[in-house]
Amino acid sequence: MEEAAAATAAYAVQESCSLDHYLSQPDHTMDERIALARARLGTDVILLGHHYQRDEVIRFADYTGDSYKLSKVAAETDAKYMIFCGVHFMAETADVLAKPWQQVILPDLNAGCSMADMAEIGQVENCWDALERAGLTGDLLPLTYMNSTAAIKAFCGENGGLVCTSSNARGAFEWAFARKSKILFLPDQHLGRNTAYAMGIPLSEMVVWDPYQINGGASTDRLRAAKVILWKGHCSVHQRFLPEHVDHIRRERPQMQVVVHPECRWEVCQKADAIGSTERIIDVIEKAPEGSSFAVGTEIHLVNRLAKRFAPLGKEIITLDDAGCLCTTMYRISPQHLAWSLENLIAGNVVNRIQVDEDVKHWARVALDRMLEVQA
Ligand code: SF4
């Protein structure tokens, strides 16, 4: 009898902690549960929320920011559990930087990043082998944007390179050019092109490596002549902003300033008034005088939040395109997933833990430590 009762009780706990149970409940019923669980776990847990995260989730974050800021917080916190309300590569980065006794949780494992998925480690190794056969790797450093898998970060660390974010990409390029004469930039061609161009490198000295073409789709002579080899990857959110969107704003709202993220196409960035990471976009708007207006080229949750925040200060903020681009993968982190992760912790279960392989972790850490030395 006792055994049956224990089994029933165990089933009840298991059932109440199962994800299906949470997903069948409406969003608003999660608010109180999240707040209570958060209070109960206290300083054992820290919640990191990326700027593109939806409002129903980010409101519970202890820290909000871009991937650079959050990676620094991750490196400094002493919380036992880090719940990353972002995407997979961000949680991997937090695990790489975590102390041995810390655990990182991604509330929904489906929260990936289309850009990070565009550079697989096997493809990058094949590219490097081809560049080696062409006699180019001796003078080449691999750099990767934060938005890449831990394996790609490790590859860069092991081959003398580093990681950068959109805040410190220029510093990372300068760091690399102080050591070698060429850069292989992964995986975002737009950030790489925009950064190199802003440093005075002409487009003619950049070449795109397409992993689906033989020899990257470029002749050896072209690769030899290039200062920057750009991996053919992009962000599906930011690539949707077009030069026509800027032209439209210039025509219809000539007083508006256009501010865009450097993951946008080069043609869009060239037409903008300012280019910068999410932190820089916020800074530009914050410092602008009352009555200023902005058309912003970045993820729609951040744009809407900024519009709400700055409206009382007499600043108007709209999205650069007419529809607003959503990071659908980050959107997968729902209040239900967050409540499920937190309440499971209270029940003693660590769900959706992100753990990077030790060897990969070592070299990714080398590349990230080099980044933390670079000025933003
Ligand atoms: S906005 Fe783009 S780069 Fe950022 S997480 Fe989403 S898909 Fe990846």
Side-chain angles (χ1 to χ4, degrees):
M1 281 293 273
E2 270 176 25
E3 261 176 37
T8 308
Y11 177 76
V13 170
Q14 207 185 341
E15 180 65 4
S16 67
C17 286
S18 89
L19 185 55
D20 286 348
H21 166 79
Y22 289 79
L23 294 179
S24 62
Q25 316 285 320
D27 278 13
H28 72 272
T29 62
M30 295 295 124
D31 290 359
E32 207 182 329
R33 293 175 70 162
I34 294 170
L36 278 174
R38 207 41 217 87
R40 193 143 160 221
L41 289 160
T43 53
D44 269 359
V45 75
I46 191 172
L47 248 82
L48 304 173
H50 190 273
H51 280 315
Y52 299 158
Q53 191 52 257
R54 50 156 112 177
D55 291 352
E56 312 86 272
V57 170
I58 205 166
R59 73 167 79 122
F60 295 103
D62 297 299
Y63 293 92
T64 60
D66 62 10
S67 49
Y68 180 68
K69 183 172 162 189
L70 295 178
S71 65
K72 284 178 89 171
V73 172
E76 285 158 14
T77 181
D78 280 328
K80 203 164 155 194
Y81 305 106
M82 281 182 253
I83 300 196
F84 218 119
C85 299
V87 293
H88 194 271
F89 74 79
M90 298 176 190
E92 273 192 336
T93 305
D95 186 55
V96 169
L97 296 172
K99 298 166 185 88
W101 42 269
Q102 293 180 305
Q103 298 185 34
V104 180
I105 291 166
L106 182 65
D108 185 351
L109 294 179
N110 290 313
C113 164
S114 56
M115 180 196 287
D117 292 344
M118 286 178 198
E120 287 172 8
I121 186 61
Q123 294 175 321
V124 174
E125 284 167 348
N126 287 342
C127 163
W128 194 256
D129 287 348
L131 295 173
E132 195 160 40
R133 284 194 299 277
L136 299 177
T137 47
D139 224 8
L140 179 70
L141 275 182
L143 259 64
T144 189
Y145 188 22
M146 181 67 85
N147 304 17
S148 56
T149 63
I152 300 296
K153 292 182 177 81
F155 174 86
C156 290
E158 202 167 357
N159 287 285
L162 78 168
V163 177
C164 71
T165 68
S166 50
S167 314
N168 66 5
R170 185 179 180 130
F173 270 58
E174 284 165 356
W175 183 95
F177 281 132
R179 287 157 178 82
K180 297 279 172 82
S181 64
K182 290 164 95 74
I183 288 174
L184 167 64
F185 190 75
L186 304 149
D188 183 15
Q189 57 168 311
H190 301 307
L191 176 63
R193 187 177 292 110
N194 289 324
T195 305
Y197 191 80
M199 292 173 73
I201 299 172
L203 296 182
S204 57
E205 290 184 21
M206 302 179 212
V207 63
V208 172
W209 180 278
D210 181 348
Y212 295 99
Q213 301 272 331
I214 294 168
N215 206 44
S219 69
T220 304
D221 284 348
R222 187 82 182 83
L223 291 165
R224 196 165 285 139
K227 252 177 116 62
V228 182
I229 302 171
L230 302 163
W231 190 265
K232 196 178 179 190
H234 64 264
C235 164
S236 44
V237 176
H238 290 94
Q239 192 165 274
R240 286 182 51 187
F241 295 108
L242 301 170
E244 298 88 278
H245 294 137
V246 185
D247 296 341
H248 177 77
I249 293 290
R250 299 287 189 224
R251 250 189 341 265
E252 302 297 320
R253 306 287 305 271
Q255 81 292 355
M256 265 194 167
Q257 295 177 58
V258 175
V259 189
V260 301
H261 194 281
E263 287 172 23
C264 292
R265 298 162 194 267
W266 177 82
E267 296 84 347
V268 172
C269 291
Q270 287 309 298
K271 286 177 177 258
D273 298 300
I275 310 166
S277 65
T278 48
E279 293 292 335
R280 171 143 160 71
I281 291 172
I282 296 168
D283 193 52
V284 166
I285 297 171
E286 243 166 15
K287 289 185 175 144
E290 202 179 316
S292 309
S293 56
F294 297 90
V296 180
T298 194
E299 205 270 350
I300 193 66
H301 283 97
L302 177 60
V303 176
N304 288 342
R305 240 182 334 262
L306 292 174
K308 224 184 269 176
R309 176 177 155 194
F310 288 103
L313 300 172
K315 299 180 190 178
E316 188 192 3
I317 293 145
I318 61 167
T319 178
L320 177 58
D321 67 343
D322 41 11
C325 301
L326 168 82
C327 179
T328 48
T329 45
M330 198 167 305
Y331 191 75
R332 298 193 77 112
I333 309 271
S334 64
Q336 288 82 349
H337 286 96
L338 180 56
W340 174 68
S341 317
L342 287 164
E343 290 183 359
N344 262 286
L345 278 182
I346 291 171
N349 309 320
V350 178
V351 291
N352 286 4
R353 182 174 174 195
I354 301 298
Q355 264 185 298
V356 176
D357 171 86
E358 282 306 318
D359 190 43
V360 170
K361 197 181 258 191
H362 168 78
W363 285 111
R365 171 106 210 190
V366 168
L368 284 161
D369 283 347
R370 286 183 190 135
M371 176 193 79
L372 295 172
E373 288 167 19
V374 168
Q375 288 297 313

